[in-house]
Amino acid sequence: MSDSTPVRTPRHRGIYLLPNLFTTGAMFAGFYAIVASIGGSYSEAAIAVFVAAVLDGMDGRVARLTGTQSEFGVQYDSLSDLISFGLAPSLVMYTWSLSSLKDYGPTWGKIGWAAAFIYAACAALRLARFNTQVAVIDKQYFQGLASPAAAAVCMSFVWSMDKAGAIGEEFCFVMPVIAVVVGLLMVSRFRYFSFKSLPMGERDRVPFLWMIVAVLVLVPFFVDPPRVLLAVSVLYMLSGPVVTLWGLATRRRRRGNG
């Protein structure tokens, strides 16, 4: 081979900027939640996680509307979700309440960080399972509680209690239960409505009654956001077991009658 032979430079594939900017914003919000919780600003940390949830819901929609969906975006979104809805909530719960368990002895201290880790690990497992089943699952339902909804349950509780003037030490024996139960619901087989079939497009029309319902939901939200978010997220969390068990009971009745 002569020295004059041209060397081919490797081709680099570009990425779509707009949807990945939203994903990066969601990741930044999750990172800020961790930093805020370390500094003792727990309400700000909880709000940051909800900001991450809003941005996370927008990146996929922006990608679909602009035709900029990519495998890179899917993987990047999963990594962002792990930080914003897995690591961030677990560390907020630990710094706010779970860390105070060490005052009751080394065993209780281990239970505190173990509960936080279980939540984070379940979030990672849930995201991995979703990525491997995305081509075969029912688009109308999620299998297991989605990680943003799980984070909403935990962070709305922290936000509500912190706004009410309560300190995390008062809930140090309750928080491990919340973290573990919510974490296990993420990796459960309960079916949760995904809201992807709701009319959200430009040509979709809804009855006028929907606007009244929207007003009735938005007004209490602006009056007391943390408690309204807590009530809505807890109801959604409970809907999975209720809907799944109701469906199983209905099938058994039909088989018995048949």
Side-chain angles (χ1 to χ4, degrees), residues 38-102:
I38 294 174
S41 302
Y42 302 112
S43 291
E44 291 184 10
I47 293 172
V49 173
F50 281 104
V51 172
V54 173
L55 294 174
D56 179 68
M58 294 177 65
D59 60 0
R61 184 166 294 276
V62 168
R64 287 189 293 270
L65 289 175
T66 57
T68 53
Q69 296 170 284
S70 66
E71 183 62 25
F72 174 88
V74 172
Q75 300 303 324
Y76 188 41
D77 181 69
S78 293
L79 294 173
S80 174
D81 288 352
L82 178 59
I83 295 174
S84 300
F85 311 124
L87 293 178
S90 65
L91 291 174
V92 172
M93 288 187 287
Y94 181 78
T95 55
W96 179 67
S97 177
L98 294 173
S99 60
S100 61
L101 281 172
K102 64 178 180 291

Short mmCIF file of all heavy atoms in Angstrom, two decimals, residues 38-102:
data_model
loop_
_atom_site.label_atom_id
_atom_site.label_comp_id
_atom_site.label_asym_id
_atom_site.label_seq_id
_atom_site.Cartn_x
_atom_site.Cartn_y
_atom_site.Cartn_z
N ILE A 38 -29.91 17.34 48.83
CA ILE A 38 -28.70 17.35 49.64
C ILE A 38 -28.59 18.67 50.42
O ILE A 38 -28.12 18.70 51.56
CB ILE A 38 -27.46 17.15 48.75
CG1 ILE A 38 -27.48 15.74 48.13
CG2 ILE A 38 -26.17 17.34 49.54
CD1 ILE A 38 -26.40 15.48 47.13
N GLY A 39 -29.05 19.74 49.80
CA GLY A 39 -29.03 21.04 50.47
C GLY A 39 -30.20 21.27 51.41
O GLY A 39 -30.30 22.35 52.01
N GLY A 40 -31.11 20.30 51.53
CA GLY A 40 -32.24 20.43 52.44
C GLY A 40 -33.46 21.12 51.87
O GLY A 40 -34.42 21.37 52.59
N SER A 41 -33.46 21.40 50.57
CA SER A 41 -34.62 22.04 49.92
C SER A 41 -35.50 20.95 49.33
O SER A 41 -35.47 20.69 48.12
CB SER A 41 -34.15 23.03 48.85
OG SER A 41 -33.31 24.01 49.38
N TYR A 42 -36.31 20.33 50.18
CA TYR A 42 -37.04 19.14 49.76
C TYR A 42 -38.23 19.47 48.87
O TYR A 42 -38.55 18.71 47.95
CB TYR A 42 -37.48 18.35 50.99
CG TYR A 42 -36.31 17.95 51.85
CD1 TYR A 42 -36.15 18.50 53.13
CD2 TYR A 42 -35.35 17.06 51.40
CE1 TYR A 42 -35.07 18.16 53.92
CE2 TYR A 42 -34.27 16.70 52.19
CZ TYR A 42 -34.14 17.26 53.45
OH TYR A 42 -33.06 16.92 54.23
N SER A 43 -38.90 20.57 49.13
CA SER A 43 -40.02 20.96 48.26
C SER A 43 -39.51 21.28 46.86
O SER A 43 -40.12 20.88 45.86
CB SER A 43 -40.76 22.17 48.84
OG SER A 43 -41.46 21.82 50.02
N GLU A 44 -38.39 21.99 46.77
CA GLU A 44 -37.81 22.29 45.46
C GLU A 44 -37.39 21.01 44.75
O GLU A 44 -37.54 20.89 43.53
CB GLU A 44 -36.60 23.21 45.62
CG GLU A 44 -36.95 24.63 46.05
CD GLU A 44 -35.71 25.51 46.10
OE1 GLU A 44 -34.64 25.08 45.62
OE2 GLU A 44 -35.83 26.64 46.62
N ALA A 45 -36.88 20.05 45.50
CA ALA A 45 -36.48 18.78 44.91
C ALA A 45 -37.68 18.05 44.34
O ALA A 45 -37.63 17.52 43.22
CB ALA A 45 -35.78 17.92 45.95
N ALA A 46 -38.78 18.04 45.09
CA ALA A 46 -39.99 17.36 44.61
C ALA A 46 -40.55 18.05 43.37
O ALA A 46 -40.95 17.39 42.41
CB ALA A 46 -41.04 17.34 45.72
N ILE A 47 -40.56 19.38 43.38
CA ILE A 47 -41.04 20.13 42.22
C ILE A 47 -40.18 19.83 41.00
O ILE A 47 -40.69 19.70 39.88
CB ILE A 47 -41.07 21.64 42.53
CG1 ILE A 47 -42.11 21.94 43.61
CG2 ILE A 47 -41.36 22.45 41.27
CD1 ILE A 47 -42.07 23.37 44.12
N ALA A 48 -38.88 19.73 41.20
CA ALA A 48 -37.98 19.44 40.08
C ALA A 48 -38.30 18.10 39.44
O ALA A 48 -38.21 17.95 38.21
CB ALA A 48 -36.53 19.47 40.56
N VAL A 49 -38.67 17.11 40.24
CA VAL A 49 -39.03 15.81 39.68
C VAL A 49 -40.30 15.93 38.84
O VAL A 49 -40.42 15.29 37.78
CB VAL A 49 -39.21 14.77 40.81
CG1 VAL A 49 -39.75 13.45 40.25
CG2 VAL A 49 -37.88 14.52 41.51
N PHE A 50 -41.26 16.73 39.29
CA PHE A 50 -42.48 16.93 38.49
C PHE A 50 -42.17 17.69 37.20
O PHE A 50 -42.77 17.41 36.16
CB PHE A 50 -43.53 17.68 39.31
CG PHE A 50 -44.26 16.81 40.28
CD1 PHE A 50 -43.98 16.85 41.63
CD2 PHE A 50 -45.24 15.93 39.84
CE1 PHE A 50 -44.64 16.04 42.53
CE2 PHE A 50 -45.92 15.10 40.73
CZ PHE A 50 -45.62 15.16 42.08
N VAL A 51 -41.24 18.62 37.26
CA VAL A 51 -40.80 19.30 36.02
C VAL A 51 -40.19 18.29 35.07
O VAL A 51 -40.44 18.32 33.85
CB VAL A 51 -39.80 20.42 36.35
CG1 VAL A 51 -39.19 20.99 35.07
CG2 VAL A 51 -40.49 21.53 37.14
N ALA A 52 -39.40 17.37 35.61
CA ALA A 52 -38.82 16.32 34.78
C ALA A 52 -39.90 15.46 34.14
O ALA A 52 -39.78 15.05 32.98
CB ALA A 52 -37.89 15.45 35.63
N ALA A 53 -40.97 15.19 34.88
CA ALA A 53 -42.07 14.39 34.33
C ALA A 53 -42.75 15.10 33.17
O ALA A 53 -43.12 14.48 32.16
CB ALA A 53 -43.07 14.06 35.43
N VAL A 54 -42.93 16.42 33.30
CA VAL A 54 -43.55 17.19 32.22
C VAL A 54 -42.67 17.16 30.97
O VAL A 54 -43.13 16.92 29.85
CB VAL A 54 -43.81 18.64 32.67
CG1 VAL A 54 -44.29 19.49 31.49
CG2 VAL A 54 -44.84 18.67 33.79
N LEU A 55 -41.38 17.40 31.15
CA LEU A 55 -40.46 17.39 30.01
C LEU A 55 -40.34 16.01 29.40
O LEU A 55 -40.22 15.86 28.18
CB LEU A 55 -39.08 17.88 30.46
CG LEU A 55 -39.01 19.35 30.90
CD1 LEU A 55 -37.62 19.67 31.46
CD2 LEU A 55 -39.34 20.28 29.74
N ASP A 56 -40.39 14.97 30.25
CA ASP A 56 -40.33 13.61 29.74
C ASP A 56 -41.55 13.27 28.88
O ASP A 56 -41.44 12.53 27.90
CB ASP A 56 -40.23 12.63 30.91
CG ASP A 56 -40.19 11.18 30.46
OD1 ASP A 56 -39.18 10.78 29.84
OD2 ASP A 56 -41.17 10.45 30.72
N GLY A 57 -42.71 13.81 29.26
CA GLY A 57 -43.89 13.58 28.45
C GLY A 57 -43.89 14.34 27.14
O GLY A 57 -44.58 13.96 26.18
N MET A 58 -43.08 15.40 27.07
CA MET A 58 -43.06 16.22 25.86
C MET A 58 -42.06 15.72 24.82
O MET A 58 -42.28 15.91 23.62
CB MET A 58 -42.72 17.67 26.24
CG MET A 58 -43.78 18.36 27.07
SD MET A 58 -43.30 20.03 27.57
CE MET A 58 -43.20 20.85 25.98
N ASP A 59 -40.95 15.09 25.27
CA ASP A 59 -39.91 14.74 24.30
C ASP A 59 -40.40 13.72 23.28
O ASP A 59 -40.15 13.84 22.08
CB ASP A 59 -38.64 14.26 24.99
CG ASP A 59 -38.87 13.02 25.87
OD1 ASP A 59 -40.01 12.53 25.93
OD2 ASP A 59 -37.89 12.56 26.49
N GLY A 60 -41.14 12.71 23.75
CA GLY A 60 -41.66 11.72 22.82
C GLY A 60 -42.70 12.29 21.88
O GLY A 60 -42.72 11.97 20.68
N ARG A 61 -43.56 13.17 22.41
CA ARG A 61 -44.59 13.78 21.56
C ARG A 61 -43.95 14.70 20.51
O ARG A 61 -44.38 14.71 19.36
CB ARG A 61 -45.57 14.56 22.44
CG ARG A 61 -46.74 15.17 21.66
CD ARG A 61 -47.82 15.62 22.60
NE ARG A 61 -48.42 14.50 23.28
CZ ARG A 61 -49.38 13.76 22.77
NH1 ARG A 61 -49.86 14.01 21.56
NH2 ARG A 61 -49.89 12.76 23.47
N VAL A 62 -42.93 15.45 20.92
CA VAL A 62 -42.23 16.32 19.97
C VAL A 62 -41.57 15.49 18.88
O VAL A 62 -41.60 15.84 17.69
CB VAL A 62 -41.20 17.19 20.70
CG1 VAL A 62 -40.27 17.88 19.71
CG2 VAL A 62 -41.90 18.22 21.57
N ALA A 63 -40.97 14.36 19.28
CA ALA A 63 -40.30 13.50 18.30
C ALA A 63 -41.30 12.94 17.28
O ALA A 63 -41.00 12.88 16.08
CB ALA A 63 -39.58 12.36 19.01
N ARG A 64 -42.49 12.56 17.76
CA ARG A 64 -43.50 12.01 16.84
C ARG A 64 -44.06 13.10 15.92
O ARG A 64 -44.29 12.87 14.74
CB ARG A 64 -44.62 11.35 17.63
CG ARG A 64 -44.22 10.03 18.27
CD ARG A 64 -45.42 9.31 18.86
NE ARG A 64 -45.97 10.04 20.00
CZ ARG A 64 -45.57 9.84 21.26
NH1 ARG A 64 -44.60 8.99 21.53
NH2 ARG A 64 -46.13 10.51 22.25
N LEU A 65 -44.29 14.30 16.47
CA LEU A 65 -44.87 15.38 15.66
C LEU A 65 -43.89 15.87 14.60
O LEU A 65 -44.30 16.27 13.51
CB LEU A 65 -45.28 16.55 16.57
CG LEU A 65 -46.49 16.31 17.47
CD1 LEU A 65 -46.71 17.50 18.39
CD2 LEU A 65 -47.75 16.05 16.64
N THR A 66 -42.62 15.86 14.91
CA THR A 66 -41.61 16.36 13.98
C THR A 66 -40.96 15.26 13.15
O THR A 66 -40.08 15.55 12.32
CB THR A 66 -40.52 17.14 14.74
OG1 THR A 66 -39.93 16.27 15.74
CG2 THR A 66 -41.12 18.36 15.43
N GLY A 67 -41.35 14.01 13.38
CA GLY A 67 -40.76 12.91 12.64
C GLY A 67 -39.28 12.70 12.94
O GLY A 67 -38.51 12.33 12.06
N THR A 68 -38.89 12.94 14.20
CA THR A 68 -37.48 12.83 14.58
C THR A 68 -37.26 11.71 15.59
O THR A 68 -36.41 11.82 16.47
CB THR A 68 -36.98 14.16 15.16
OG1 THR A 68 -37.85 14.58 16.23
CG2 THR A 68 -36.96 15.24 14.09
N GLN A 69 -38.04 10.65 15.51
CA GLN A 69 -37.85 9.51 16.39
C GLN A 69 -36.59 8.74 15.98
O GLN A 69 -36.29 8.61 14.79
CB GLN A 69 -39.06 8.58 16.33
CG GLN A 69 -40.35 9.23 16.85
CD GLN A 69 -41.57 8.38 16.56
OE1 GLN A 69 -42.04 8.34 15.43
NE2 GLN A 69 -42.07 7.70 17.57
N SER A 70 -35.87 8.22 16.97
CA SER A 70 -34.65 7.48 16.69
C SER A 70 -34.38 6.52 17.83
O SER A 70 -34.86 6.71 18.96
CB SER A 70 -33.46 8.42 16.49
OG SER A 70 -33.16 9.10 17.70
N GLU A 71 -33.58 5.50 17.54
CA GLU A 71 -33.18 4.54 18.57
C GLU A 71 -32.32 5.23 19.62
O GLU A 71 -32.40 4.90 20.81
CB GLU A 71 -32.42 3.38 17.93
CG GLU A 71 -32.02 2.28 18.91
CD GLU A 71 -33.22 1.61 19.56
OE1 GLU A 71 -34.32 1.62 18.97
OE2 GLU A 71 -33.04 1.08 20.69
N PHE A 72 -31.50 6.18 19.19
CA PHE A 72 -30.69 6.93 20.15
C PHE A 72 -31.59 7.67 21.14
O PHE A 72 -31.33 7.68 22.35
CB PHE A 72 -29.80 7.94 19.42
CG PHE A 72 -29.04 8.85 20.34
CD1 PHE A 72 -27.80 8.48 20.83
CD2 PHE A 72 -29.56 10.09 20.70
CE1 PHE A 72 -27.10 9.32 21.69
CE2 PHE A 72 -28.87 10.94 21.56
CZ PHE A 72 -27.64 10.55 22.05
N GLY A 73 -32.65 8.30 20.63
CA GLY A 73 -33.57 9.02 21.50
C GLY A 73 -34.26 8.11 22.50
O GLY A 73 -34.46 8.49 23.66
N VAL A 74 -34.60 6.89 22.07
CA VAL A 74 -35.25 5.94 22.97
C VAL A 74 -34.32 5.57 24.12
O VAL A 74 -34.71 5.56 25.30
CB VAL A 74 -35.69 4.68 22.20
CG1 VAL A 74 -36.19 3.60 23.15
CG2 VAL A 74 -36.78 5.04 21.18
N GLN A 75 -33.07 5.24 23.79
CA GLN A 75 -32.11 4.84 24.82
C GLN A 75 -31.75 6.02 25.73
O GLN A 75 -31.61 5.85 26.95
CB GLN A 75 -30.86 4.26 24.16
CG GLN A 75 -31.11 3.05 23.29
CD GLN A 75 -31.79 1.92 24.04
OE1 GLN A 75 -31.54 1.70 25.23
NE2 GLN A 75 -32.68 1.21 23.35
N TYR A 76 -31.59 7.18 25.14
CA TYR A 76 -31.26 8.37 25.93
C TYR A 76 -32.40 8.71 26.89
O TYR A 76 -32.17 9.10 28.04
CB TYR A 76 -30.99 9.53 24.98
CG TYR A 76 -30.46 10.79 25.64
CD1 TYR A 76 -29.51 10.73 26.65
CD2 TYR A 76 -30.88 12.05 25.22
CE1 TYR A 76 -29.03 11.88 27.24
CE2 TYR A 76 -30.39 13.20 25.79
CZ TYR A 76 -29.46 13.11 26.81
OH TYR A 76 -28.97 14.25 27.39
N ASP A 77 -33.63 8.55 26.42
CA ASP A 77 -34.79 8.81 27.27
C ASP A 77 -34.83 7.85 28.45
O ASP A 77 -35.19 8.24 29.57
CB ASP A 77 -36.07 8.68 26.43
CG ASP A 77 -37.32 8.98 27.25
OD1 ASP A 77 -37.52 10.14 27.63
OD2 ASP A 77 -38.09 8.04 27.51
N SER A 78 -34.47 6.59 28.23
CA SER A 78 -34.47 5.61 29.32
C SER A 78 -33.43 5.97 30.38
O SER A 78 -33.69 5.86 31.58
CB SER A 78 -34.20 4.21 28.77
OG SER A 78 -35.27 3.77 27.96
N LEU A 79 -32.26 6.39 29.93
CA LEU A 79 -31.22 6.80 30.88
C LEU A 79 -31.66 8.03 31.67
O LEU A 79 -31.41 8.14 32.88
CB LEU A 79 -29.91 7.08 30.15
CG LEU A 79 -29.25 5.87 29.48
CD1 LEU A 79 -28.05 6.31 28.65
CD2 LEU A 79 -28.82 4.86 30.53
N SER A 80 -32.31 8.96 30.99
CA SER A 80 -32.83 10.14 31.67
C SER A 80 -33.90 9.76 32.70
O SER A 80 -33.92 10.29 33.81
CB SER A 80 -33.41 11.12 30.64
OG SER A 80 -34.05 12.21 31.28
N ASP A 81 -34.78 8.83 32.32
CA ASP A 81 -35.82 8.38 33.25
C ASP A 81 -35.23 7.71 34.49
O ASP A 81 -35.74 7.87 35.60
CB ASP A 81 -36.76 7.39 32.55
CG ASP A 81 -37.66 8.08 31.54
OD1 ASP A 81 -37.66 9.33 31.50
OD2 ASP A 81 -38.36 7.38 30.79
N LEU A 82 -34.15 6.96 34.30
CA LEU A 82 -33.53 6.30 35.44
C LEU A 82 -33.00 7.33 36.44
O LEU A 82 -33.13 7.14 37.66
CB LEU A 82 -32.39 5.40 34.96
CG LEU A 82 -31.60 4.67 36.06
CD1 LEU A 82 -32.51 3.79 36.90
CD2 LEU A 82 -30.48 3.85 35.46
N ILE A 83 -32.44 8.42 35.93
CA ILE A 83 -31.94 9.47 36.82
C ILE A 83 -33.08 10.24 37.46
O ILE A 83 -33.12 10.45 38.68
CB ILE A 83 -31.00 10.42 36.05
CG1 ILE A 83 -29.75 9.67 35.60
CG2 ILE A 83 -30.63 11.63 36.91
CD1 ILE A 83 -28.84 10.48 34.70
N SER A 84 -34.05 10.67 36.64
CA SER A 84 -35.10 11.57 37.11
C SER A 84 -36.15 10.87 37.96
O SER A 84 -36.68 11.47 38.91
CB SER A 84 -35.77 12.25 35.92
OG SER A 84 -34.84 13.00 35.17
N PHE A 85 -36.47 9.61 37.63
CA PHE A 85 -37.57 8.92 38.32
C PHE A 85 -37.12 7.69 39.10
O PHE A 85 -37.94 7.02 39.72
CB PHE A 85 -38.64 8.51 37.30
CG PHE A 85 -39.03 9.65 36.39
CD1 PHE A 85 -38.94 9.52 35.00
CD2 PHE A 85 -39.47 10.85 36.91
CE1 PHE A 85 -39.28 10.57 34.17
CE2 PHE A 85 -39.82 11.91 36.08
CZ PHE A 85 -39.72 11.76 34.70
N GLY A 86 -35.80 7.41 39.05
CA GLY A 86 -35.27 6.30 39.83
C GLY A 86 -34.33 6.80 40.91
O GLY A 86 -34.63 6.72 42.10
N LEU A 87 -33.18 7.34 40.50
CA LEU A 87 -32.19 7.80 41.45
C LEU A 87 -32.64 9.03 42.22
O LEU A 87 -32.47 9.11 43.45
CB LEU A 87 -30.88 8.08 40.73
CG LEU A 87 -30.15 6.87 40.14
CD1 LEU A 87 -28.89 7.31 39.40
CD2 LEU A 87 -29.80 5.87 41.22
N ALA A 88 -33.19 10.03 41.52
CA ALA A 88 -33.58 11.28 42.19
C ALA A 88 -34.62 11.06 43.29
O ALA A 88 -34.40 11.48 44.43
CB ALA A 88 -34.08 12.29 41.15
N PRO A 89 -35.75 10.39 43.02
CA PRO A 89 -36.70 10.17 44.11
C PRO A 89 -36.13 9.36 45.26
O PRO A 89 -36.43 9.64 46.43
CB PRO A 89 -37.86 9.42 43.42
CG PRO A 89 -37.74 9.79 41.99
CD PRO A 89 -36.28 9.92 41.73
N SER A 90 -35.33 8.34 44.95
CA SER A 90 -34.78 7.52 46.03
C SER A 90 -33.85 8.33 46.92
O SER A 90 -33.88 8.19 48.15
CB SER A 90 -34.03 6.31 45.44
OG SER A 90 -32.89 6.73 44.70
N LEU A 91 -33.04 9.20 46.34
CA LEU A 91 -32.13 10.03 47.14
C LEU A 91 -32.88 11.13 47.89
O LEU A 91 -32.49 11.49 49.01
CB LEU A 91 -31.05 10.63 46.24
CG LEU A 91 -30.05 9.61 45.68
CD1 LEU A 91 -29.11 10.28 44.68
CD2 LEU A 91 -29.25 8.98 46.81
N VAL A 92 -33.94 11.67 47.29
CA VAL A 92 -34.76 12.64 48.00
C VAL A 92 -35.41 12.00 49.22
O VAL A 92 -35.41 12.57 50.33
CB VAL A 92 -35.83 13.25 47.07
CG1 VAL A 92 -36.80 14.12 47.87
CG2 VAL A 92 -35.19 14.07 45.97
N MET A 93 -35.96 10.81 49.04
CA MET A 93 -36.57 10.11 50.18
C MET A 93 -35.54 9.78 51.25
O MET A 93 -35.82 9.85 52.44
CB MET A 93 -37.26 8.82 49.69
CG MET A 93 -38.53 9.06 48.91
SD MET A 93 -39.42 7.52 48.52
CE MET A 93 -38.36 6.83 47.25
N TYR A 94 -34.33 9.42 50.80
CA TYR A 94 -33.30 9.06 51.78
C TYR A 94 -32.85 10.28 52.58
O TYR A 94 -32.76 10.23 53.81
CB TYR A 94 -32.10 8.43 51.07
CG TYR A 94 -31.02 8.01 52.04
CD1 TYR A 94 -31.14 6.83 52.77
CD2 TYR A 94 -29.89 8.79 52.24
CE1 TYR A 94 -30.16 6.46 53.69
CE2 TYR A 94 -28.91 8.43 53.14
CZ TYR A 94 -29.05 7.26 53.86
OH TYR A 94 -28.09 6.89 54.77
N THR A 95 -32.55 11.38 51.89
CA THR A 95 -32.07 12.56 52.61
C THR A 95 -33.16 13.19 53.47
O THR A 95 -32.87 13.76 54.53
CB THR A 95 -31.55 13.61 51.61
OG1 THR A 95 -32.57 13.91 50.65
CG2 THR A 95 -30.31 13.11 50.89
N TRP A 96 -34.42 13.09 53.03
CA TRP A 96 -35.51 13.71 53.77
C TRP A 96 -35.91 12.89 55.00
O TRP A 96 -36.14 13.45 56.08
CB TRP A 96 -36.73 13.88 52.86
CG TRP A 96 -37.92 14.50 53.55
CD1 TRP A 96 -38.01 15.78 54.04
CD2 TRP A 96 -39.17 13.88 53.84
NE1 TRP A 96 -39.25 15.99 54.60
CE2 TRP A 96 -39.99 14.84 54.49
CE3 TRP A 96 -39.70 12.61 53.59
CZ2 TRP A 96 -41.29 14.56 54.90
CZ3 TRP A 96 -40.99 12.32 54.00
CH2 TRP A 96 -41.78 13.29 54.65
N SER A 97 -35.96 11.58 54.89
CA SER A 97 -36.51 10.78 55.97
C SER A 97 -35.72 9.51 56.29
O SER A 97 -35.41 9.24 57.44
CB SER A 97 -37.97 10.38 55.62
OG SER A 97 -38.52 9.55 56.61
N LEU A 98 -35.38 8.74 55.27
CA LEU A 98 -34.81 7.42 55.50
C LEU A 98 -33.46 7.48 56.22
O LEU A 98 -33.13 6.56 56.98
CB LEU A 98 -34.65 6.68 54.17
CG LEU A 98 -35.96 6.33 53.45
CD1 LEU A 98 -35.67 5.77 52.06
CD2 LEU A 98 -36.78 5.33 54.26
N SER A 99 -32.69 8.53 56.00
CA SER A 99 -31.37 8.63 56.64
C SER A 99 -31.48 8.76 58.15
O SER A 99 -30.54 8.40 58.88
CB SER A 99 -30.60 9.82 56.07
OG SER A 99 -31.30 11.03 56.31
N SER A 100 -32.63 9.25 58.64
CA SER A 100 -32.79 9.42 60.09
C SER A 100 -32.98 8.10 60.82
O SER A 100 -32.92 8.06 62.06
CB SER A 100 -33.98 10.35 60.39
OG SER A 100 -35.18 9.80 59.88
N LEU A 101 -33.19 7.01 60.09
CA LEU A 101 -33.33 5.70 60.73
C LEU A 101 -32.04 5.25 61.41
O LEU A 101 -32.07 4.44 62.34
CB LEU A 101 -33.76 4.65 59.70
CG LEU A 101 -35.24 4.65 59.31
CD1 LEU A 101 -35.48 3.70 58.13
CD2 LEU A 101 -36.11 4.25 60.49
N LYS A 102 -30.91 5.77 60.97
CA LYS A 102 -29.63 5.38 61.59
C LYS A 102 -29.55 5.82 63.04
O LYS A 102 -28.73 5.29 63.80
CB LYS A 102 -28.47 5.93 60.79
CG LYS A 102 -28.35 7.43 60.74
CD LYS A 102 -27.12 7.85 59.96
CE LYS A 102 -26.99 9.38 59.91
NZ LYS A 102 -28.05 9.97 59.09
#
